[in-house]
């Protein structure tokens, strides 16, 4: 496609997504910057500029691109997922007081909820919400969203990795009426966590094979790095 029509916007956004997925910062910067100059009015382009800014820790720049992207296309759910991920990353950075970090997590929740309004079946938004709830200690709700994400995104590794984290947290926190009940329920959740992790590892052998059961933080680190799906301008 590059050889036959390298200036086609569909081809260029596909190239940019591949660079983002591979973590090729130099190529991503070159491609996203060129798209911004030529097609800055498009929300898809603003999303890639957001991702570039986030990868560099330029959160002020990211928010500018987010605002421009929303003005261009208010229903682009991926913009809200990216903005939610940014807030979670800031909250987990360790640079904020707990009260401020909690506010960032609440902001992330608003973003994921907005993404789900724009696209209720979004596997990315469901996964982000699941991980956020786990980070906030709302384990049962997190498990519910993670289950929905796995059902929606049956080939989406981050959803199953989040589900593994949810069941692992449930196993850690569960309490039954008797010690035997507690042990039984914990074993059931651990079994479900291991099944979800095995599915995630099949879907992404390179990054997940051999990994231990994830914590919510580990689930977010993977989701934030590998959870984006392609958002392309349709080739002409």
């Amino acid at each position: 496609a590059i050889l036959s029509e390298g200036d086609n916007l569909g081809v260029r956004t596909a190239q940019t997504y591949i660079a983002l997925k591979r973590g090729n910062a130099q190529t991503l910067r070159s491609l996203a910057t060129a798209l911004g100059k030529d097609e800055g009015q498009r929300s898809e382009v603003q999303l890639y500029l957001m991702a570039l800014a986030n990868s560099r820790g330029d959160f002020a720049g990211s928010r500018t691109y987010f605002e421009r992207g929303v003005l261009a296309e208010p229903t682009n759910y991926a913009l809200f997922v990216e903005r939610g991920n940014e807030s979670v990353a800031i909250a987990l950075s360790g640079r904020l007081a707990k009260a401020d970090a909690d506010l960032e997590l609440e902001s992330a929740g608003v973003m994921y909820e907005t993404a789900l309004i724009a696209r209720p079946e979004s596997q990315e938004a469901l996964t982000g919400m699941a991980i956020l709830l786990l980070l906030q200690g709302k384990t049962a709700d997190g498990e519910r969203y993670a289950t929905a994400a796995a059902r929606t995104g049956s080939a989406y590794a981050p959803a199953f990795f989040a589900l593994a984290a949810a069941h692992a947290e449930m196993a850690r926190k569960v309490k039954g009426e008797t010690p035997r009940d507690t042990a039984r329920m914990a074993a059931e959740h651990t079994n479900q966590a291991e099944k979800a992790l095995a599915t995630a590892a099949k879907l992404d052998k390179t990054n997940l094979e051999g990994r231990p059961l994830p914590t919510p933080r580990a689930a977010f680190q993977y989701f934030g790095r590998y959870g984006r799906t392609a958002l392309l301008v349709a080739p002409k």
Side-chain angles (χ1 to χ4, degrees):
I2 294 170
L3 290 174
S4 63
E5 198 173 352
D7 60 347
N8 183 285
L9 191 54
V11 176
R12 293 175 66 189
T13 50
Q15 287 180 275
T16 307
Y17 171 73
I18 292 170
L20 175 62
K21 191 74 171 178
R22 289 178 173 172
N24 190 328
Q26 184 174 353
T27 301
L28 174 61
R29 181 168 58 252
S30 175
L31 292 171
T33 300
L35 278 173
K37 290 179 180 178
D38 298 339
E39 298 287 344
Q41 78 281 5
R42 292 182 176 272
S43 66
E44 300 94 339
V45 172
Q46 294 301 319
L47 173 67
Y48 288 118
L49 290 169
M50 269 186 78
L52 172 62
N54 280 334
S55 71
R56 301 166 66 181
D58 179 11
F59 298 126
S62 172
R63 292 177 188 184
T64 297
Y65 297 131
F66 168 73
E67 291 168 0
R68 291 175 181 172
V70 171
L71 285 173
E73 179 49 71
T75 62
N76 185 345
Y77 74 97
L79 291 165
F80 295 98
V81 174
E82 186 73 24
R83 180 67 182 85
N85 288 357
E86 177 188 311
S87 289
V88 175
I90 292 171
L92 297 182
S93 67
R95 297 193 298 267
L96 301 180
K98 185 179 185 305
D100 293 331
D102 288 344
L103 285 175
E104 287 290 347
L105 292 179
E106 290 178 13
S107 175
V110 172
M111 293 297 148
Y112 294 141
E113 287 174 358
T114 305
L116 286 169
I117 291 171
R119 188 172 183 178
E121 73 279 12
S122 167
Q123 57 194 7
E124 302 99 311
L126 288 167
T127 301
M129 182 63 81
I131 296 172
L132 171 65
L133 290 166
L134 294 177
L135 290 168
Q136 292 176 318
K138 301 173 183 178
T139 310
D141 289 336
E143 188 272 335
R144 179 166 57 86
Y145 271 92
T147 298
R151 287 174 179 169
T152 302
S154 59
Y156 186 60
F160 288 95
F161 202 53
L163 184 58
H167 279 296
E169 284 294 288
M170 293 287 281
R172 187 173 66 85
K173 293 186 175 182
V174 71
K175 291 182 180 179
E177 294 182 0
T178 68
R180 180 175 294 181
D181 288 338
T182 297
R184 176 180 56 79
M185 289 188 289
E188 288 176 357
H189 282 296
T190 299
N191 182 51
Q192 292 299 316
E194 290 172 346
K195 287 182 178 179
L197 179 59
T199 301
K202 288 180 181 178
L203 293 169
D204 186 358
K205 290 184 179 181
T206 301
N207 296 299
L208 295 180
E209 194 169 48
R211 291 276 291 267
L213 290 177
T215 63
R217 181 182 285 264
F220 175 74
Q221 289 171 342
Y222 175 75
F223 173 61
R225 172 69 178 80
Y226 298 104
R228 300 179 183 94
T229 56
L231 184 67
L232 313 179
V233 177
K236 295 180 181 179

